């Protein structure tokens, strides 16, 4: 089962590492979009979110305090869902539907991040370090 969890970790973090590259290499464009969604201090927020995705993603992928990495990803996803994908603010039906899908995706990924947080707290094997947080 350790290998199954490792495959899940790889698939899970691929999204975050790819997104982080965009946040950190196309910062102005990403910050412009964030500002259009009402995010205050959009440029620093874009950089911080990119760093959170890199650190959290690599932590989960490599199993270096994977519980902390999963928590970082959770802490990125929840505010992102509400700040960036507020479907309830949209008046255009197509935009509302698109933002609802993105909101639901972020909420579902936040749930997966919490599941990984728990899994790492159980010291699942195929990791470089043990858990940072004690759940026992």
């Amino acid at each position: 089962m350790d290998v199954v969890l490792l495959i899940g970790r790889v698939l899970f973090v691929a999204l975050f590492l790819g997104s982080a590259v965009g946040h950190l290499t196309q910062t102005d464009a990403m910050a412009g979009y964030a500002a259009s969604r009402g995010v205050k201090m959009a440029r620093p927020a874009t950089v911080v979110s990119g760093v959170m995705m890199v650190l959290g993603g690599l932590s989960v992928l490599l199993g270096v305090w994977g519980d902390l990495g999963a928590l970082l990803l959770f802490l990125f996803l929840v505010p992102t869902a509400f700040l960036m994908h507020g479907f309830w603010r949209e008046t255009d039906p197509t935009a509302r539907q698109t933002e609802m899908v993105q909101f639901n995706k972020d909420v579902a990924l936040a749930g997966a991040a919490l599941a990984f947080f728990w899994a790492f707290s159980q010291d699942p094997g195929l990791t470089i370090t043990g858990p940072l947080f004690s759940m026992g």
Side-chain angles (χ1 to χ4, degrees):
M1 292 310 281
D2 292 352
V3 171
V4 171
L5 187 58
L6 178 61
I7 293 168
R9 287 165 36 198
V10 170
L11 295 174
F12 180 68
V13 303
L15 172 75
F16 298 104
L17 294 178
S19 293
V21 169
H23 278 68
L24 299 174
T25 62
Q26 301 170 24
T27 305
D28 290 337
M30 300 289 273
Y33 178 67
S36 78
R37 302 300 293 172
V39 174
K40 306 281 188 247
M41 299 186 349
R43 192 170 206 299
T46 299
V47 172
V48 168
S49 63
V51 170
M52 287 177 77
M53 287 188 283
V54 167
L55 294 177
L58 288 176
S59 175
V60 169
L61 177 65
L62 300 173
V64 177
W65 290 328
D67 53 345
L68 176 62
L71 190 58
L72 277 174
L73 294 174
F74 174 81
L75 293 173
F76 160 74
L77 287 161
V78 172
T80 298
F82 287 93
L83 293 173
M84 299 297 294
H85 305 299
F87 63 90
W88 52 89
R89 294 187 299 256
E90 300 295 334
T91 55
D92 176 67
T94 302
R96 179 183 289 265
Q97 183 66 35
T98 299
E99 292 305 327
M100 185 183 293
V101 168
Q102 294 301 316
F103 178 88
N104 288 334
K105 175 199 60 136
D106 283 356
V107 170
L109 288 168
L114 285 179
F116 276 113
F117 176 78
W118 175 84
F120 279 110
S121 77
Q122 306 303 303
D123 204 7
L126 296 179
T127 60
I128 294 173
T129 67
L132 183 62
F133 299 102
S134 174
M135 302 300 277

